Amino acid sequence: MSTTSLTAGLPSPDHSTRLREALLAAAFTADGLLELLGAPAYAALARSETVPALRATRGDSALDALVQLFLLQRPVAYERARAALPLEECLADGWLLHDGAEVRATVDVRPYGGPEGQDWFIVSDLGCAVGGAGGASGHGEGVVLGVGGASTTLAGITVRTPVSSALDLGTGSGIQALHAAQHATRVTATDLNPRALHFARLTLALSGAPEADLREGSLFEPVGQDTYDLIVSNPPFVISPGARLTYRDGGMGGDDLCRTLVQQAGARLNDGGYAQFLANWQHVEGQEWQERLRSWVPRGCDAWIVQREVQDVTQYAELWLRDSGDHRSDPAEYAARYGAWLDEFEARKTKAVGFGWITLRKSGSERPSIVAEEWPHPVEQPLGESVQAHFARQDYLRTHDDAALLAGHFRLAAEVVQEQVGLPGAEDPEHVVLRQNRGMRRATKVDTVGAGFAGVCDGTLSAGRILDAIAQLIDEDPVVLRDRTPQAVRLLVEEGFLEPVRP
C-alpha cells in the first residue's frame, strides 16, 4: 500500500493554532469534559462506551457540539459547527467534511491532560481513540490508535529529566513524542506507518508543541547511527501468528521484535541515557523467563525489567482475537484463527506470555546491574523519579562493599509505614512488615533488628553505630550483629526503603 493512499484524506495542520484556540475557548479539555459529562460518562467514554456521553451532550452549547463531532463521531448541523469552530479553515484543512446541512469529523480529537496541567489533544483514526480489546475492531492494517492504557503507562514510567535528544520509536499518534517535547531539546519520532507520522504531526501541532523530526521506517533503521539521551517505545509487541495488523503485531517470530529492540538500543544511547519500553515476552518450557530477558540486555547497560502480568496462551490468544473483532466473525473462521495462535505457541514451546516494562541505562559498567522481577501489585504513577532512583541505588550498592555500607548514613524513605502481624493479644508479633505508600509500593518482611534499624535511620548516625546501639539493647555481640546484618541493609537500600545520605 502506498504512502499516498495511507495518508490520503487526512487533515492538514496549517491552521491548527486557530482550531486549538477554538477548542480551548469552548472548554474542550480533559477538565471541561469531566465537568460536562460527569465521572461515570467520562469513564465510560474511556472504555469506548458512548451512550452515556450521548445522553450528557443533548444541550446546544459549543462544547456539546465538539464532543459529538470529535469524540462521538456524530454529524452536527452546519450552523452549530460554525458557532463553535473556525469552520472554513476546518473544512479546507480536512478536519471536517461538509455533508448537506451537516458536517462531520474526519478524525478523532481527544483532550488529554499533560503532567503539569497542559491542555493537549491526541489525534487518531475515528473510533480508535482507546486501545485494548475491541479498541480497533474492524479497522485496516494502517489504523492509528489514540490513547490507551499502554500509552499512559509508558508515559508514566518515563524518566523526565531535561535532555538534549529523545527518540520515540513507533510513535503512533504521537503521545510519547508530545511528552518528550516538554523536556527534550530535539525530538525524533519514527514509525513504519506513514499514516502514523502524519497523525503525530497533527497531535503535536494541535497541542501547541514544537515540531518533531519525523522519519519513516522500522526499528532503528530510520535514525542510522544517531544516538540519544532518551529512547521510548510502545512497540507492536503482540506475539501472533503472522502480522495482520501493523499497529499491534510485530511481524517477527515470537518475541523477536521486542528482543531486537532491546538489544539494539544500547548502541543508540548516549552515556547515562535511558531506553524505556513496553514489551511482551514468551515463557518458554525449560527456561526461566528472567534468564531469557537478561540475555537481551546489551553490553554496557544496566537494566530493570518488571513483569506486570502473565497470561496463559489461551487467555492471550482470546484477548487479541477480541481486539481484532475475530470473536464476531464466522465461528469456523474464528476457530481456525484461534487454532493458528495455539499452533504457533506449541511450535515455540511457549506456555505463557508476560507483559511489562524494560528500562535500560547506559552505564558502561563492567559489572552491570540487571534486575528482573515480578511485580503485579498496584503502583503509584508517575514512576519516572522512582525509575531514576532505582538506578542511583544500584550505583551506590555496586560501589559500596559491606564495610563501606556500615560506614554509610541512611534515611528512611518518605511514607514508609510499619505493620506488625500476629495473633491478637500476643506479646510479640509473628513478623514485621515495612510498606511503602509511594512509587512501587513495595512491602518487605523484616526482623526486630531490621525494623529497629530502619526506624532509627534519620541520616545522623552511621549504619554501624546504629547496629552497635541495637546490639547493646538486645544484649548481642556487636561484632556478630555487624557481620550478619549488611545483607539485610543492602536489601532495604535496593528496594528503596532506605536512602543513602551524606553525613
Side-chain angles (χ1 to χ4, degrees), residues 343-408:
D343 288 343
E344 176 83 2
F345 288 132
E346 185 176 349
R348 294 182 176 277
K349 298 183 178 180
T350 300
K351 57 185 180 179
V353 177
F355 168 82
W357 321 324
I358 299 176
T359 299
L360 306 178
R361 187 192 55 163
K362 188 74 169 284
S363 65
S365 175
E366 293 298 319
R367 295 188 297 127
S369 164
I370 303 177
V371 176
E373 62 174 324
E374 187 162 9
W375 190 255
H377 311 293
V379 299
E380 182 192 46
Q381 287 275 35
L383 277 170
E385 291 185 2
S386 296
V387 171
Q388 197 173 11
H390 166 89
F391 288 99
R393 294 194 298 269
Q394 298 305 314
D395 285 342
Y396 179 89
L397 293 171
R398 183 162 44 202
T399 56
H400 286 71
D401 60 15
D402 286 356
L405 200 68
L406 292 176

Side-chain angles (χ1 to χ4, degrees), residues 97-339:
L97 291 177
H98 195 180
D99 186 9
E102 298 177 324
V103 296
R104 56 185 175 85
T106 60
V107 292
D108 186 298
V109 177
R110 183 158 300 247
Y112 178 77
E116 296 178 1
Q118 302 99 323
D119 290 315
W120 291 341
F121 300 95
I122 310 301
V123 187
S124 64
D125 271 309
L126 292 172
C128 295
V130 181
S137 299
H139 289 80
E141 64 165 328
V143 66
V144 178
L145 298 184
V147 182
S151 302
T152 55
T153 293
L154 179 58
I157 67 172
T158 300
V159 174
R160 295 297 176 194
T161 52
V163 294
S164 296
S165 57
L167 170 64
D168 176 14
L169 193 152
T171 189
S173 59
I175 181 174
Q176 308 306 329
L178 179 56
H179 276 277
Q182 311 308 304
H183 63 103
T185 304
R186 174 173 58 89
V187 176
T188 302
T190 71
D191 207 290
L192 183 62
N193 180 4
R195 187 177 178 85
L197 295 175
H198 193 92
F199 273 110
R201 179 179 290 111
L202 296 175
T203 289
L204 291 168
L206 197 56
S207 298
E211 293 184 7
D213 179 8
L214 302 173
R215 304 187 191 183
E216 181 181 343
S218 178
L219 295 176
F220 291 101
E221 178 187 20
V223 301
Q225 299 304 309
D226 292 351
T227 57
Y228 300 87
D229 302 313
L230 174 67
I231 299 171
V232 293
S233 184
N234 176 18
F237 51 65
V238 176
I239 300 170
S240 63
R244 292 171 54 211
L245 299 171
T246 303
Y247 75 88
R248 67 164 207 194
D249 299 332
M252 297 184 184
D255 51 20
D256 284 356
L257 182 136
C258 292
R259 175 183 56 79
T260 301
L261 185 61
V262 173
Q263 288 178 335
Q264 293 182 356
R268 305 316 199 284
L269 278 177
N270 295 326
D271 289 344
Y274 288 89
Q276 299 187 262
F277 314 107
L278 301 187
N280 277 184
W281 46 79
Q282 298 168 129
H283 286 221
V284 178
E285 292 179 15
Q287 297 183 42
E288 294 292 331
W289 71 267
Q290 295 94 330
E291 291 306 312
R292 284 195 75 239
L293 267 68
R294 287 190 182 102
S295 73
W296 294 6
V297 177
R299 185 178 179 85
C301 288
D302 297 332
W304 187 18
I305 302 162
V306 181
Q307 180 166 274
R308 296 288 289 157
E309 184 179 359
V310 181
Q311 291 184 321
D312 67 47
V313 292
T314 60
Q315 292 173 312
Y316 189 81
E318 290 162 15
L319 170 67
W320 295 109
L321 286 167
R322 288 194 302 272
D323 171 82
S324 54
D326 289 314
H327 61 306
R328 292 193 291 267
S329 66
D330 175 74
E333 183 178 347
Y334 174 77
R337 284 186 171 163
Y338 198 148

Side-chain angles (χ1 to χ4, degrees), residues 420-423 426 428-432 446:
Q420 296 187 173
V421 180
L423 293 174
D428 296 313
E430 293 178 15
H431 59 261
V432 177
V446 292

Side-chain angles (χ1 to χ4, degrees), residues 10-72:
L10 293 181
S12 161
D14 288 351
H15 298 95
S16 55
T17 300
R18 286 207 63 198
L19 175 55
R20 173 178 171 79
E21 290 171 351
L23 298 179
L24 294 177
F28 188 67
T29 63
D31 289 342
L33 283 184
L34 181 58
E35 184 175 346
L36 173 70
L37 303 179
Y42 186 81
L45 193 60
R47 301 190 299 270
S48 294
E49 295 291 348
T50 59
V51 173
L54 278 169
R55 295 173 63 87
T57 55
R58 290 177 288 191
D60 57 3
S61 71
L63 183 54
D64 290 315
L66 294 175
V67 172
Q68 290 186 9
L69 269 175
F70 290 118
L71 297 185
L72 304 179

